[in-house]
Amino acid sequence: MESKRVGIFMQLYRNEPSMHKAIQSVLEQTYAEFKYYILVSAATKQAVMEYAEKDTRIVVLDGKPGEGFSDYAKQIAAENAYITAIDADDWYEKNYLEELSHCLEKENLDMVACGNHFVDIHGNIMETRKQREMAWNIADTFLVLPYMYAFYRTQWGKLIKSELCLKWDLNVLPESNTYGGYGGDTMRIFSLLPYAKRIGICDKVLYNYRISPASGSYVLRQGRLDSDRILFNFVKDILKQLGEVGEKEERFLYLIYGEALKDTTRLLLNQKMREEERAEKLLYVYQCTLTGILLERQRKRMLELPNSPHMDSFEAVFYRMIFRNTNRIAATEKT
């Protein structure tokens, strides 16, 4: 294994015009010590081979249906000092590898995340997520849980020490068809945390994430209605390995679950389907035990709203939104 070399993984099953921007953003990195592993299909192999013929750092992997980052992470980790990933419709800033490797080494981290731009399908910046530089021991995760969750819920925008991936127990991850692929990134990254000693956040915006209507967030796939519950339980189980999950942490996790429930509700309300089928699916989500607990917690918090100086506006708006959706579900059921 060559010291300091980075293994970069990209999954490329569809022949998308944006893939060329993604590939170029890797090849133009100011940090040149990397191997670029591209998982291809029959539809994309020829285009990637044209790049590989010009740059020997590209390694072409013939993929099988359903394969992804976790299937190749250990292989890539065994050949490189660090490992990272990029989605085929995203792109790196030119100093992505340079800045993240510097931050990781300076703070002696096992894993580091960077800031990012959220861009539309045309590449226009819609929102930017950025945080001042932070580093903490994994035992102190609960002290910075909101920051950690915001930056560690995605697979992209991370640089990971290979020795961390080599310890990875992939058997803890559920089958993707049980959760529709939604939340898979979070589960993969969180499943690495028990093996880490120290992680952090780089204060640079280095990754550009393209918001696509075809992503798992907006598509009703098999298992999607169970995804929020599966993700909640998975993250909670991982956090229990790091320390005691108290009321403060429970409250945060339920807020995250509620946000996910909001996305699922919006997805179902916007789907083209018979109203009876829509009502059935909405009731399936809202009548599960976890949602019941969430709504009961919210009702108690709502009672505190008028006189509570501690209730922030986000929670107030969020709770009211949930109740509006609940009322709409009830109305749909009656009809």
Side-chain angles (χ1 to χ4, degrees):
M1 181 176 71
E2 295 183 24
S3 178
K4 309 297 184 183
R5 192 173 66 189
V6 180
I8 305 169
F9 175 83
M10 185 172 80
Q11 180 177 319
L12 185 57
Y13 284 143
R14 295 189 300 272
N15 194 354
E16 304 175 57
S18 58
M19 72 182 187
H20 300 289
K21 187 176 182 69
I23 293 173
Q24 283 299 136
S25 78
V26 173
L27 299 181
E28 294 173 358
Q29 286 296 296
T30 57
Y31 188 103
E33 289 297 315
F34 63 81
K35 264 192 174 183
Y36 187 12
Y37 302 80
I38 306 179
L39 186 64
V40 300
S41 66
T44 60
K45 186 170 183 176
Q46 182 56 44
V48 172
M49 289 301 300
E50 292 177 8
Y51 282 103
E53 289 170 1
K54 299 175 183 178
D55 197 316
T56 58
R57 294 174 298 181
I58 295 177
V59 178
V60 180
L61 303 171
D62 290 302
K64 299 176 183 177
E67 286 186 331
F69 176 72
S70 55
D71 297 290
Y72 291 88
K74 290 195 175 187
Q75 173 188 331
I76 297 172
E79 299 174 359
N80 302 276
Y82 307 129
I83 183 170
T84 189
I86 181 172
D87 285 352
D89 57 350
D90 300 342
W91 69 94
Y92 291 151
E93 296 296 326
K94 289 185 178 182
N95 56 340
Y96 172 84
L97 293 179
E98 183 178 2
E99 292 289 350
L100 285 185
S101 60
H102 172 72
C103 185
L104 188 144
E105 292 168 7
K106 180 184 69 173
E107 297 291 343
N108 191 26
L109 305 177
D110 295 304
M111 182 162 45
V112 63
C114 66
N116 68 279
H117 295 305
F118 292 100
V119 300
D120 62 21
I121 58 173
H122 305 294
N124 302 310
I125 297 175
M126 303 171 62
E127 183 182 343
T128 298
R129 178 170 55 190
K130 182 181 179 182
Q131 175 58 37
R132 62 181 176 84
E133 186 171 304
M134 300 175 65
W136 62 92
N137 295 329
I138 202 68
D140 297 326
T141 294
F142 291 172
L143 299 176
V144 293
L145 186 57
Y147 299 101
M148 193 278 290
Y149 197 92
F151 283 83
Y152 279 87
R153 65 187 301 175
T154 62
Q155 180 174 287
W156 44 263
K158 313 282 178 297
L159 187 64
I160 308 168
K161 273 189 177 178
S162 289
E163 58 193 64
L164 198 64
C165 288
L166 293 173
K167 298 175 184 176
W168 200 6
D169 181 6
L170 298 171
N171 293 320
V172 303
L173 298 172
E175 295 292 330
S176 62
N177 62 0
T178 63
Y179 60 91
Y182 182 68
D185 274 18
T186 305
M187 288 187 276
R188 282 187 287 273
I189 294 299
F190 267 67
S191 64
L192 285 168
L193 294 180
Y195 308 104
K197 294 180 180 178
R198 188 168 168 80
I199 64 176
I201 301 170
C202 173
D203 63 353
K204 304 292 193 305
V205 177
L206 304 169
Y207 193 95
N208 297 277
Y209 174 75
R210 195 187 304 266
I211 298 177
S212 170
S215 74
S217 301
Y218 311 106
V219 178
L220 187 59
R221 299 171 179 159
Q222 179 183 350
R224 179 63 176 84
L225 299 185
D226 295 304
S227 61
D228 302 331
R229 171 181 52 81
I230 291 173
L231 180 58
F232 176 94
N233 290 327
F234 188 91
V235 169
K236 186 174 179 180
D237 287 343
I238 292 294
L239 291 178
K240 284 180 179 179
Q241 297 180 46
L242 307 183
E244 183 179 353
V245 179
E247 174 54 30
K248 181 180 178 182
E249 291 76 34
E250 284 267 359
R251 179 182 170 217
F252 175 76
L253 292 177
Y254 274 105
L255 280 173
I256 295 298
Y257 175 71
E259 276 290 285
L261 188 63
K262 179 175 68 174
D263 290 340
T264 302
T265 301
R266 186 183 295 116
L267 172 65
L268 288 173
L269 293 177
N270 291 332
Q271 288 290 307
K272 292 182 179 180
M273 62 177 68
R274 294 181 298 106
E275 288 305 311
E276 294 83 356
E277 182 182 0
R278 191 192 319 280
E280 180 182 341
K281 294 184 183 301
L282 286 166
L283 287 170
Y284 176 82
V285 172
Y286 274 80
Q287 289 183 341
C288 82
T289 301
L290 193 59
T291 305
I293 295 172
L294 169 69
L295 293 175
E296 180 58 30
R297 291 173 69 96
Q298 289 171 341
R299 289 188 182 97
K300 291 179 179 178
R301 295 290 286 173
M302 285 291 286
L303 293 176
E304 302 173 9
L305 269 175
N307 303 312
S308 174
H310 305 294
M311 176 62 72
D312 58 53
S313 59
F314 169 78
E315 284 186 283
V317 171
F318 169 68
Y319 292 157
R320 293 188 183 106
M321 179 280 302
I322 284 290
F323 288 125
R324 282 200 298 272
N325 282 332
T326 306
N327 291 336
R328 180 169 178 178
I329 291 168
T332 305
E333 184 184 22
K334 290 176 182 177
T335 58

